[in-house]
Amino acid sequence: METQYIPRVCITEAAMEVIDTLRKRFGSDLMFHQSGGCCDGSSPMCFEKGDFKVGANDIWMGNVYGCDFFMNSDQFEYWKHTQLTLDVTPGRGSSFSIEIPMGVRFMIRSRMFTMEELDRLTPVETGEEKLNRG
C-alpha cells in the first residue's frame, strides 16, 4: 500500500487567487522562499522561478499550487513539526516579493502536526538536490 503523505505546506483560496493573478502578469512559473530572517524576512517571498538562487542551506518543503516552496534550513529546524498554510493579508510588506505592488503580502499560518501525522510527512530535500533532480 502506497503511503499517503501529509503536506508540509498548504494554501488558502485567497493565496491561490493572488498566485493566479501573478502568473497572468508575469507569464512564468513561480516559487516561494522563506528565509527566517527578521521582520519581513520571516515572511514567505514569491519570485519568478529562478529569480532566487536556492542552495544547500535551503530545504525544499514541497510544491504548493504548482509552486516549489523552500525554507532556510535554520528556520526549518524550528518549524519542521509544523504544517504551514500559505495565505495573504492586506498591506504592503517591505520585501522583494512580487505580490507587494498589489497591496497584499503573503503570510504563513501554522499548526503543529499530530503525533500520527509526523510519520507520514512529505519528504524534504536540500535545495541543491531538488534543483539537480528537476
Side-chain angles (χ1 to χ4, degrees):
M1 184 173 163
E2 189 174 319
T3 302
Q4 292 291 336
Y5 288 115
I6 305 293
R8 292 177 180 272
V9 184
C10 300
I11 189 168
T12 64
E13 290 285 330
M16 285 189 249
E17 290 173 12
V18 171
I19 288 171
D20 287 340
T21 299
L22 292 171
R23 284 182 175 138
K24 288 176 189 168
R25 180 176 296 164
F26 290 96
S28 64
D29 291 333
L30 305 175
M31 63 176 284
F32 285 89
H33 184 271
Q34 186 158 345
S35 70
C38 68
C39 307
D40 277 346
S42 60
S43 297
M45 290 190 265
C46 183
F47 300 96
E48 289 181 76
K49 191 170 187 173
D51 277 357
F52 183 89
K53 183 170 172 60
V54 294
N57 288 329
D58 295 307
I59 302 293
W60 178 78
M61 297 184 57
N63 189 287
V64 60
Y65 198 55
C67 304
D68 288 325
F69 193 102
F70 297 88
M71 180 179 280
N72 177 271
S73 59
D74 290 338
Q75 184 75 356
F76 178 74
E77 281 303 308
Y78 290 112
W79 290 35
K80 64 184 174 185
H81 303 294
T82 307
Q83 186 175 56
L84 309 179
T85 299
L86 186 63
D87 200 358
V88 292
T89 188
R92 182 176 170 91
S94 60
S95 73
F96 297 108
S97 194
I98 62 176
E99 82 284 356
I100 298 302
M102 296 173 61
V104 297
R105 60 189 172 100
F106 287 107
M107 62 175 287
I108 291 293
R109 299 187 189 281
S110 63
R111 71 166 182 88
M112 298 293 288
F113 287 114
T114 66
M115 294 303 289
E116 296 78 27
E117 290 173 322
L118 288 173
D119 293 330
R120 298 189 354 241
L121 296 179
T122 301
V124 297
E125 301 177 57
T126 68
E128 286 182 334
E129 289 171 336
K130 172 62 178 160
L131 294 175
N132 290 335
R133 190 174 56 77

